[in-house]
Amino acid sequence: MKPHKPLSGMKKESKYSLQPRALQLFRVLLCGVIALTLSACGDSSDSTNTAESTDMVIASALYFDKRTPADFYREDFQDEAFYSVSHVKNTSLLPLVDRTGLTVHELASNDFVEAMTWSNKAAEYQQSYQQLAANTETMLYFQFTRFDPASPQFANLHRVFKASVLDRNGVDRNDESASYKGRITLPNPTAADIKLIIEYLWMFTLDNNYRNAVLESYTTETDSEFVHIMKQARLNLNYTGGCDDVEVYEVRYKIPKDSGFIWKEKTLVDRFSAKRTDSYLEICT
């Protein structure tokens, strides 16, 4: 708002002139209005710039395949070999012809010998038998390293979850949209344990592919439950040359302490458009 010219040029003898004290008060009020107007404009601009900056960070993660944040679960594989990881499932112990129509879930055991027997059985039904080369274990699983002598540079890691940590019975591996994700059986788990398990399971979902990104991943705890929250984004490419669609989700994994059941909820919280031209990114408006 700008003052009208007559105000600045008024003469004291005018019958419409303002008295000195009134004129001073008017100027103070006028400056206040201007300050408020400028402040409001500044807040709006800052808000818009912050939103665009956040959208750019998300777009960069998606387009350049920065799939997980720095503190996310990772595995350290040796560079000189190529690895594939698979969990031994109920169907792994059956011939291919007998697997049709069965619900698929990962197996769990606390018995090392039983877990190794399952791995041996699963190897029999692979296209080419892979012999056992080594075995290790972590807090979460038993691992059996297998390879085909004809191609020793390719290692297949068979894993069997430890039943004392995680039970995946009842989780259909062919239905990732299902809410139930298993049961954490680990006694007195910590928030760090929950984070590790949930992030590990995410590694074996379809979301762990290009055009998807985890932006944040953390666990909160109350007296009665753990809640693990992942902020995820998905890029839907537009193959006609226009802007691509980006969806941002909040995914919550709720784990009541009295049961250990893992329940997943996924909510769309934001959507915007973006475009990549070589290494140049832009947010479409």
Side-chain angles (χ1 to χ4, degrees), residues 114-135:
E114 181 178 43
M116 184 171 63
T117 301
W118 287 344
S119 175
N120 290 336
K121 191 68 174 178
E124 292 180 13
Y125 292 121
Q126 292 180 312
Q127 291 183 345
S128 61
Y129 182 82
Q130 297 182 339
Q131 68 185 45
L132 183 64
N135 62 268

Side-chain angles (χ1 to χ4, degrees), residues 119-262:
S119 175
N120 290 336
K121 191 68 174 178
E124 292 180 13
Y125 292 121
Q126 292 180 312
Q127 291 183 345
S128 61
Y129 182 82
Q130 297 182 339
Q131 68 185 45
L132 183 64
N135 62 268
T136 56
E137 64 179 280
T138 69
M139 176 273 287
L140 185 57
Y141 55 77
F142 298 108
Q143 177 172 285
F144 305 94
T145 303
R146 316 189 75 96
F147 72 97
D148 183 344
S151 303
Q153 72 275 23
F154 297 102
N156 187 0
L157 307 181
H158 283 189
R159 292 177 179 174
V160 176
F161 287 119
K162 290 185 176 179
S164 58
V165 178
L166 182 64
D167 178 9
R168 291 276 277 175
N169 189 28
V171 179
D172 186 354
R173 290 295 288 113
N174 294 327
D175 183 11
E176 292 199 359
S177 63
S179 297
Y180 181 64
K181 296 303 174 186
R183 178 172 175 252
I184 294 177
T185 56
L186 181 68
N188 303 314
T190 65
D193 295 326
I194 299 298
K195 183 176 186 294
L196 183 150
I197 292 170
I198 298 300
E199 290 180 352
Y200 178 88
L201 293 176
W202 179 91
M203 299 288 289
F204 299 90
T205 66
L206 293 176
D207 286 341
N208 187 13
N209 283 290
Y210 179 64
R211 296 192 294 116
N212 294 273
V214 176
L215 310 170
E216 292 180 275
S217 180
Y218 59 94
T219 301
T220 62
E221 179 182 4
T222 66
D223 290 339
S224 61
E225 70 175 357
F226 293 98
V227 178
H228 187 85
I229 298 173
M230 283 191 191
K231 184 178 179 182
Q232 297 180 215
R234 178 175 178 80
L235 176 65
N236 300 304
L237 296 174
N238 183 342
Y239 295 100
T240 63
C243 293
D244 302 318
D245 183 51
V246 175
E247 298 171 334
V248 182
Y249 293 90
E250 181 179 272
V251 183
R252 288 178 172 256
Y253 298 84
K254 295 185 177 181
I255 304 98
K257 291 182 178 180
D258 60 355
S259 67
F261 294 143
I262 307 170

Side-chain angles (χ1 to χ4, degrees), residues 39-58:
S39 175
C41 292
D43 289 344
S44 176
S45 176
D46 290 345
S47 176
T48 300
N49 290 339
T50 299
E52 289 181 353
S53 176
T54 300
D55 291 349
M56 186 63 75
V57 170
I58 296 172

